[in-house]
Amino acid sequence: MFDNLGESKVDIDRDHLKGYPEIVYGLHKTAGQIARVMQSLLDHDKPVLVTRVAKEKWEAIGADFPQADYQEAAQTITIGQCEKIPHGKMVILNAGTSDFPVSEEARVTAEWMGCQVTCIYDVGVAGIHRLLSYQEEIRQANVLVVVAGMEGALPSVVSGLVEAPVIAVPTSVGYGANLEGITTLLAMITSCSSGISVVNIDNGFGGAYQGALFLKQISQFVKERD
Amino acid sequence: MFDNLGESKVDIDRDHLKGYPEIVYGLHKTAGQIARVMQSLLDHDKPVLVTRVAKEKWEAIGADFPQADYQEAAQTITIGQCEKIPHGKMVILNAGTSDFPVSEEARVTAEWMGCQVTCIYDVGVAGIHRLLSYQEEIRQANVLVVVAGMEGALPSVVSGLVEAPVIAVPTSVGYGANLEGITTLLAMITSCSSGISVVNIDNGFGGAYQGALFLKQISQFVKERD
Amino acid sequence: MFDNLGESKVDIDRDHLKGYPEIVYGLHKTAGQIARVMQSLLDHDKPVLVTRVAKEKWEAIGADFPQADYQEAAQTITIGQCEKIPHGKMVILNAGTSDFPVSEEARVTAEWMGCQVTCIYDVGVAGIHRLLSYQEEIRQANVLVVVAGMEGALPSVVSGLVEAPVIAVPTSVGYGANLEGITTLLAMITSCSSGISVVNIDNGFGGAYQGALFLKQISQFVKERD
Amino acid sequence: MFDNLGESKVDIDRDHLKGYPEIVYGLHKTAGQIARVMQSLLDHDKPVLVTRVAKEKWEAIGADFPQADYQEAAQTITIGQCEKIPHGKMVILNAGTSDFPVSEEARVTAEWMGCQVTCIYDVGVAGIHRLLSYQEEIRQANVLVVVAGMEGALPSVVSGLVEAPVIAVPTSVGYGANLEGITTLLAMITSCSSGISVVNIDNGFGGAYQGALFLKQISQFVKERD
Amino acid sequence: MFDNLGESKVDIDRDHLKGYPEIVYGLHKTAGQIARVMQSLLDHDKPVLVTRVAKEKWEAIGADFPQADYQEAAQTITIGQCEKIPHGKMVILNAGTSDFPVSEEARVTAEWMGCQVTCIYDVGVAGIHRLLSYQEEIRQANVLVVVAGMEGALPSVVSGLVEAPVIAVPTSVGYGANLEGITTLLAMITSCSSGISVVNIDNGFGGAYQGALFLKQISQFVKERD
Amino acid sequence: MFDNLGESKVDIDRDHLKGYPEIVYGLHKTAGQIARVMQSLLDHDKPVLVTRVAKEKWEAIGADFPQADYQEAAQTITIGQCEKIPHGKMVILNAGTSDFPVSEEARVTAEWMGCQVTCIYDVGVAGIHRLLSYQEEIRQANVLVVVAGMEGALPSVVSGLVEAPVIAVPTSVGYGANLEGITTLLAMITSCSSGISVVNIDNGFGGAYQGALFLKQISQFVKERD
Amino acid sequence: MFDNLGESKVDIDRDHLKGYPEIVYGLHKTAGQIARVMQSLLDHDKPVLVTRVAKEKWEAIGADFPQADYQEAAQTITIGQCEKIPHGKMVILNAGTSDFPVSEEARVTAEWMGCQVTCIYDVGVAGIHRLLSYQEEIRQANVLVVVAGMEGALPSVVSGLVEAPVIAVPTSVGYGANLEGITTLLAMITSCSSGISVVNIDNGFGGAYQGALFLKQISQFVKERD
Amino acid sequence: MFDNLGESKVDIDRDHLKGYPEIVYGLHKTAGQIARVMQSLLDHDKPVLVTRVAKEKWEAIGADFPQADYQEAAQTITIGQCEKIPHGKMVILNAGTSDFPVSEEARVTAEWMGCQVTCIYDVGVAGIHRLLSYQEEIRQANVLVVVAGMEGALPSVVSGLVEAPVIAVPTSVGYGANLEGITTLLAMITSCSSGISVVNIDNGFGGAYQGALFLKQISQFVKERD
């Protein structure tokens, strides 16, 4: 049921229960620990996604995994990818340039999970006309992942323009009263718009994962009908 | 575009943009204000949902709306309902008896929006075998709305058992270190499980609304394929 | 220099220093205390503004001040008004119906201080097209007072549309993660838009007062030029 | 409408809408990103202001912009400046030596935006006679930007001495109960004086920007009258 | 050593250790409990001070203690008083009318403990000239108790004008960002002035008690010298 | 009664009062201070436990204590150990790999104090079947120390499965809404399960110490009976 | 496995798993709901404990349960009690008179669970000699439940005097900086004494429950040996 | 009135108003700024105290001030000292070894201000007998400065043993729930003992300064009598 590596128990059967293999959170792990878990997943023929991998860690282990890709902005490692999700579209938006790394973590995650993704970046509410110029693209999404820092207003505006559900990802971009993203998080939670749910601060992975689960439900439904 | 009632602008065209008519948040409104907005929606042939209506307010206006139903536990008024969503299932779970009102707000909202809903109540993690005995029902859901107070652990456990996305609704049930639900909210946001997104404290409406948007996306996809 | 009423010292000369007579904050004062301060101001030929006066207090003292007006929504008492400010326009916006009382406190204050005021209510960001339909009116303001609760996003959007300064007034409208307006306040403070400054939660008076000071500076400048 | 640099969309037309070109927030940007945005603005004949530029970043790009100035205390880069605002005066005050960098960011911003500025530094309330000795200069301001850390009392005292509006800038100067400026911010927001509005912690730029918008309104009014 | 009343142990010998008899905190006690403790103190020939006694509680027990006085604004009961402190003066200041009850609790406490007290009320920093007009009286104090709500700036200014120590009493007067006095407390703690120490919110009793201990030390010293 | 080392007073008699010798908290002490306290304990024939010793500090003093062991993961130094506790079993569980260091501090502490310990690691609630597969081992514990970060749900589930008391140790593992373990701590405190008490964040030592005191009470009782 | 009462599932088998029957938390339940759960427990021959029952609720249902006792100070209902725990002693201490209700909830709970309990009340640290006069009784305890409000210092002092574990119960007694017991809770968690673990604010029940589990472990051990 | 050094205004006349010359807070100042202020004070024949001077800063300027002393633990520089305060004694206590630097800052400050000081260190409440063994020395103080971290209980116990006022200095010693001293601060503020007032976290200087003001009042009184 799991591959016991001492401190860690790699959950080899997770895809049977959850639909996706275990994804490795790299932040608190050493390069060696990451490599061992990656190898365990490869030994069981799983595609691999590792998040929050600083460049130095990647450089320490990259040579041992020639088949791996490292996405520097997203701070992710991927090997292979999960089965394509044939139906449904995800749109990822962000509010400003500083939200780029979190947005890229979301994009890499969603694509690795098999989603079809469109990214629209730097369309924050301080210049609302930028967002409105993309209204058509936005309305074609089946699920939206909206990444923003500071006062976190973008999901409220986006949600008012679309029928699809919005998953809001607060970022820690800001200072002072931003409280390292806590204000952004709470503001998104207390949004005046319906149709928004929220994940943790800077959790681009989590926003995309939730979105991918939705799209997968759509595709399974369509598959059963076909 | 909107019906101007003085202090309020009833958004008559919202269903064209959002797929659903405007829903009335009754908490800060007087009985008279609620009645006027309800009448405006009826005049434009919209189904009506009003949330957070205390019993006294309902008693003040109920006689004027003989076609209306009042759900006391959920504190909601409904007139008619939206088009049935033919595909997909929502399961609503809660952790304990005290979460009942918030869960019922979720159930009424989801059913009014056209969803097919199953409720499994009082299955909190302190007696984990109760939850596990419903494992099969839970795995058949296409989206789950999980309502819990106190330490808010139920969504983490549920999410580990299913492929579908989980929308977590923290409640203000608890005392002391619970901080009127803030601890519950933050705990759900920082869950160790993937596939969870979160709405505001006691926001059963918001959790169900997000879930209904998902099911509607599925049904629209299926419809286009048929 | 001040009229000594025992517990209070009525600052009779404040208009020489500040340009406006002392304004009475009624919340923590008894009806009797309010009446005594009002009488002291009248005895010195000052126009009177009292804020945060609940209806019962007004009913206890109204008969003694037949020349006074009571604005129920704003919870204010006025007698007379300050000199008209001949130049410059203030626009007051709010996000939703529940922000009405705070907005009215702002309007009464600004008008009593001599400002020319336009109100545009219920134009929150969840339905952004409502706001955009008033873009022309908004751009004619010399100062804007923007009142909003929940995630407090309206000032960020408005500020992006105008050249004039925006004074943001957070309200305590919301629940749960709104933290009785603290989230709204912090979100406005950490706005991504330039040209916004913020006053206390529900402080419609303070927002309007600051705006009136600006308009008065304009008018004094013009007067000196003429 | 905007110059698309990949991750960023430089808002070239902002001065048409806002009256001022886009100002670059340098903190989270790399030296390279800053240089590219600066070049884009120069290519469109805009004056340039970059804030929060550490000395090392300036040293990395300074040679490519021989026409640029770097203000080390303020941590700003400027190239050219906006049109002079012919009427109205801004006074910038601070409470202590440690508030100097934030105050200088305010001064550089205001001067770049065309304002006429006077600075009065180190006049905190612990030695109130220092402030009172500048009373005449203070009363000649049309808008005041008051920078203070710790308990943030200076704006309350200043506002009681003048007719003009006060924009308060809390700083993170202090320790312990200061909570990195949060206490200062909240204290300024809950000031007992009327006529104060507040911007984010250490946001000297934001305070000056708001003040410059006011002075510009005055000048536009006078211009239209002349 | 103590008089055992069941739930309470009245510390009869406290004056031997602390210099003052036990003082009764009435807030959470029933009228009956208060009466029993008062009787126990009288039985042991102690002077009595009870704080935080709402008027209804006083009315329930007043008849049984004909020798007692009730100070309504201060919400205190006194019977007799402690030995006069022959040397040293306490000055109590407050910032505004709403601080009156807390200031009166301080005054009653100090006088009951034997202090010579002068009160200067409603001299908050928004009108700094009021405070400065009392500069001479203030400089004659050997200890000052300074009561203020909102941003709590008064102790900082007072402390800069005197040689004597300042004990600051924050009050819960204010709203919104005042956080029921927490902001006031933290602002006083992080004051830029030296020579200030702080007691709990609305704790007029505690501020006066600390001040009386100081004056008593002075008098004991003088007595030993005489 | 204590060995006076200048800044420190080593409590040599503590084992008479508390049953265990003084344990050294190494975090804020220099290598030299740690060595002096260790020597003082050795001079009085006490077993030694030092916690929170970074590897560099150990390397600076290890050579002087050849009889000492350093546990790198746990960041502890031990010399000798206390008397075996003959009866009762402690089980230490943790939720994930990142909780390993805190768990190891608990294990080293408990074993040094004489406990019989079993460790079951990486059994967090996101994959509940891992925990359930150890149900038998868990039910044999007389006291459980449960270490978890993020939402801190593991103690709630464990406590529902056993008769023995659970001591919960929150860790700072997590980010964003985790608030460096504060959310975890508060969630554990507000658990829906009975039979849980909580120690400080990352305080593996404290959890184990409390557990060892329990087991020692059992053993003393049995000893008295035998 | 459970008795399904609609909103609630009464866990009839809990004593097999946990060693004690389900205990009813009465706060958020109506009198009717409480009565139904009590009847269900009686029908299955369980002893009954209901906590947090206001007097009015008891008066509404007391007549239907003539065999029940109501403890007014503790706000508890009991019917019968669990098997006596033959070995081990619990001592409950509190700091002041206002902690009485929480302490009584602890005492009633512990006695109903079968413990032998001694109570020592009103021995707070402001008069440390009261506590020290009970040193002998305290050292005979096998587990201590220490109830305190305000700064919560009592457990730290008690823990330094005994070999047995201390379970600390913070109360909401205090005001202002006490933050309704949050300060007390955090202070107890960050105690300088080893051997303390903490439960929720005002959770006398939880402290006693944890203590009773300990004593039961002792007794089971002794029983197995006899 | 002040010596204008550009960014700073050295308050040369402060001793006339406050009784003591300006004291330099070194933390945010550069070595050069500190040296210039020191020189300015020396030029006006003032004794010098600089606090929060890291060793590197001292090493950069020490050679220029051969008459200066540097106290490394206290992180202070002194040149000369103020007039001796002939009467009254200060006792400084601390709770543990980690509180040593803050306590030494207090001691250096008090001695420089002319006080007679006794230090009693490492007498925290976890081993209450250590404190009680110093009871006689403590009762001879005319003012006590009590330094403690973690739960901050020491001032509550000390205050219960003495007639003199206690000034409590919270330190940031602790972790997790200690919140970098905020918990300690709030716990001291909400102490159950009367006769305590509190200064900022780690503010040994501030505690001693307040204590010195008290002793100086005593001495002035005695002097006037002699």
Side-chain angles (χ1 to χ4, degrees), chain B residues 43-64:
Chain B
D43 292 347
H44 293 82
D45 291 321
K46 309 291 180 191
V48 174
L49 171 62
V50 193
T51 64
R52 307 269 172 121
V53 184
K55 200 173 183 184
E56 310 79 64
K57 285 190 193 170
W58 163 246
E59 282 165 353
I61 60 177
D64 298 337

Side-chain angles (χ1 to χ4, degrees), chain D residues 198-221:
Chain D
V198 185
V199 299
N200 203 356
I201 299 164
D202 291 333
N203 191 5
F205 159 71
Y209 190 98
Q210 177 81 321
L213 294 191
F214 291 131
L215 296 188
K216 198 160 184 191
Q217 291 292 322
I218 292 176
S219 286
Q220 286 176 342
F221 235 95

Side-chain angles (χ1 to χ4, degrees), chain B residues 131-196:
Chain B
L131 175 66
L132 297 176
S133 71
Y134 289 100
Q135 214 166 328
E136 202 172 337
E137 286 88 331
I138 290 170
R139 287 185 60 81
Q140 284 167 6
N142 300 100
V143 67
L144 299 103
V145 174
V146 182
V147 180
M150 300 183 178
E151 81 275 53
L154 188 57
S156 299
V157 179
V158 169
S159 176
L161 300 171
V162 299
E163 289 195 21
V166 168
I167 302 163
V169 182
T171 72
S172 56
V173 169
Y175 62 93
N178 182 266
L179 303 177
E180 297 176 47
I182 292 293
T183 295
T184 318
L185 167 65
L186 294 177
M188 286 173 170
I189 287 282
T190 188
S191 169
C192 62
S193 263
S194 301
I196 297 173

